[in-house]
Amino acid sequence: MRIKKLIALFFAFFAIYGANAQEKKYVVHTVAFYNFENLFDTINGPNNDEEWLPNGVQNWTSKKYHQKLHNLATVLSQIGKGEKQDKSPVIIGGAEIENRGVLEDLIKEPEMLVNDYGIVHFDSPDKRGIDVALLYQKKHFKPTSFKNIPLLIYKSQLDSKAKEKNDKDDASDDKSEIDKNLDRVYTRDILLVTGYLDGEEINVMVNHWPSRSGGEKKSSPFREAAGRLDRKIMDSIYKINPNAKIICMGDLNDGTYNKSVKEGVGAMRKKEDVKQFGVYNPFEEMFYKGNATLFYRDAGDIFDQIMVSETLIQKDFTSFRYWRAGIWNKPFMIQTTGQYKGYPLRHSMNEVGYSDHFPSYIYLAKEIK
């Protein structure tokens, strides 16, 4: 009887202390995307910023501008905190940015300054004068290369026959360069940044696809072209390094279920369906569970997506892998009254809000040995 008790005590001791001894530890980093919604300064620039001047329609004063910076910094510094990690995002993709200057002002806000963010930004040819950019914590991410890749789309693509012709061989188009420039729809470039996250190479693509102006169906060919370009960029990365890790993020102006995402990028809803060189989109499952990053006419959708390459969803965590995704929609960011109750708390003539989008984020995790 005494022997049985000793054996039982041994197994109880092992269950408690042995299991703890085997417990694995991980480093976790947050990667986020946020549409800053009209982050304009108060200076009249060469772009179409007249609306966002002190004497413009928005009555955009220096006081409002600095309140906007503070609001954005508050959100950005908090994204991802509280779920087994307490650090601000190491990488942030942003959209609707007027110029580099507003980003330099943003990272000087106290909530951002403590993390010493760097900036990657290019001016886009967008007709509204808004760009995409990448912010990164210098102590964790070291960019090695970055470039802006133009999305060449044309009004003639809205015509099905012209679209087929473009898809087959754009170089065979007999339009003159002048005619092409007149036909071109100027939108945001795609930003591609390659660098080392705590010593591991990561490729990050930041997007802000063409809007639904003129209607979702009519403008869809533009976003489908954006999806195909993203896929082309990924394939070019894989040709150099078949084991490359790629994160594709942005405000896509399309849902997870749209042709631009499903066929253009080739994103999959389930991990088990992702083949080599494939793409996993965790936000598709989140959409079907009723989550949203924005609302329009009382219908929610997820336009703000972060997709990852097959190399980031492998089962081992010996290097950085995708762990979890989420939408950051804390109570202070949500409209609490009126017609738009439950929507993101955005800017209005009476209040400087945050954005008309909620930010999306993913966690990357790696086992500590």
Side-chain angles (χ1 to χ4, degrees):
M1 190 71 176
R2 186 179 177 184
I3 294 174
K4 288 183 178 179
K5 285 183 178 180
L6 288 172
I7 292 172
L9 285 171
F10 171 80
F11 280 110
F13 179 89
F14 179 82
I16 296 172
Y17 296 100
N20 287 340
Q22 298 296 319
E23 184 178 346
K24 296 179 179 180
K25 295 183 179 180
Y26 299 86
V27 58
V28 179
H29 286 318
T30 303
V31 176
F33 175 82
Y34 198 16
N35 182 318
F36 297 165
E37 192 195 12
N38 295 316
L39 181 55
F40 284 86
D41 58 27
T42 60
I43 303 167
N44 192 2
N47 55 313
N48 297 324
D49 63 352
E50 289 77 11
E51 180 181 354
W52 297 92
L53 297 174
N55 60 350
V57 174
Q58 299 291 339
N59 188 28
W60 195 238
T61 63
S62 179
K63 182 179 179 180
K64 289 182 177 180
Y65 170 60
H66 286 285
Q67 182 64 52
K68 173 79 170 183
L69 292 173
H70 170 70
N71 288 357
L72 290 176
T74 299
V75 173
L76 292 170
S77 64
Q78 294 182 14
I79 297 174
K81 285 187 176 181
E83 296 188 50
K84 296 188 177 181
Q85 72 95 25
D86 59 358
K87 302 184 295 293
S88 298
V90 296
I91 294 173
I92 302 169
E96 292 204 16
I97 298 156
E98 182 182 15
N99 51 44
R100 185 182 178 91
V102 298
L103 294 173
E104 290 175 347
D105 288 342
L106 177 61
I107 64 173
K108 290 175 185 175
E109 289 291 309
E111 300 92 337
M112 301 289 283
L113 191 61
V114 68
N115 289 308
D116 190 24
Y117 282 99
I119 300 169
V120 179
H121 166 269
F122 291 94
D123 287 317
S124 282
D126 176 77
K127 63 181 180 181
R128 287 182 57 208
I130 55 173
D131 314 319
V132 297
L134 190 83
L135 305 179
Y136 60 93
Q137 289 191 26
K138 297 176 185 177
K139 63 184 176 182
H140 290 294
F141 187 72
K142 313 291 183 186
T144 55
S145 68
F146 40 84
K147 59 182 176 180
N148 57 324
I149 302 168
L151 173 60
L152 301 176
I153 53 177
Y154 303 93
K155 296 174 187 175
S156 57
Q157 284 180 286
L158 299 181
D159 176 80
S160 59
K161 291 183 179 179
K163 180 179 179 298
E164 288 175 10
K165 190 171 188 293
N166 274 339
D167 288 346
K168 287 181 180 178
D169 186 3
D170 185 63
S172 69
D173 196 337
D174 59 2
K175 283 176 173 286
S176 69
E177 286 303 313
I178 295 176
D179 287 339
K180 275 194 170 185
N181 289 335
L182 291 173
D183 189 37
R184 184 179 170 187
V185 177
Y186 290 93
T187 187
R188 281 74 59 177
D189 295 336
I190 296 172
L191 177 62
L192 172 61
V193 182
T194 299
Y196 286 91
L197 177 62
D198 289 350
E200 288 188 28
E201 188 175 78
I202 300 282
N203 302 273
V204 184
M205 300 161 59
V206 187
N207 296 264
H208 187 187
W209 288 359
S211 75
R212 295 186 170 193
S213 177
E216 175 190 348
K217 186 175 181 180
K218 182 178 179 181
S219 59
S220 182
F222 295 155
R223 293 183 297 281
E224 291 168 29
R228 292 193 299 272
L229 179 57
D230 273 358
R231 181 71 253 181
K232 184 177 180 181
I233 295 169
M234 292 178 191
D235 290 341
S236 67
I237 294 171
Y238 284 131
K239 284 182 180 179
I240 298 171
N241 177 11
N243 298 311
K245 294 180 176 179
I246 306 172
I247 299 172
C248 181
M249 63 169 68
D251 174 1
L252 308 185
N253 274 306
D254 260 345
T256 58
Y257 49 85
N258 282 115
K259 186 177 179 180
S260 56
V261 178
K262 298 298 293 180
E263 296 183 20
V265 178
M268 295 293 178
R269 178 178 175 178
K270 297 180 179 180
K271 288 182 181 179
E272 54 266 32
D273 293 333
V274 180
K275 308 300 182 184
Q276 186 181 21
F277 308 130
V279 180
Y280 171 59
N281 188 354
F283 290 89
E284 184 171 4
E285 185 67 25
M286 292 176 66
F287 168 74
Y288 287 111
K289 289 183 177 179
N291 296 283
T293 60
L294 80 167
F295 296 84
Y296 180 68
R297 293 180 179 175
D298 295 327
D301 211 330
I302 300 180
F303 285 3
D304 308 86
Q305 301 167 44
I306 305 177
M307 297 172 275
V308 298
S309 58
E310 178 269 340
T311 47
L312 279 166
I313 60 170
Q314 294 174 10
K315 293 181 179 180
D316 71 284
F317 283 82
T318 54
S319 63
F320 279 114
R321 307 292 187 195
Y322 163 84
W323 175 42
R324 189 181 295 176
I327 296 169
W328 199 253
N329 51 1
K330 298 306 177 182
F332 70 89
M333 302 163 58
I334 302 173
Q335 180 72 40
T336 58
T337 60
Q339 179 183 357
Y340 301 110
K341 183 178 180 180
Y343 285 33
L345 180 58
R346 62 182 302 185
H347 168 73
S348 68
M349 295 303 293
N350 300 317
E351 183 175 14
V352 179
Y354 298 87
S355 171
D356 57 344
H357 295 239
F358 293 129
S360 53
Y361 66 96
I362 63 170
Y363 292 128
L364 296 180
K366 179 172 71 171
E367 184 181 348
I368 301 173
K369 296 183 179 179

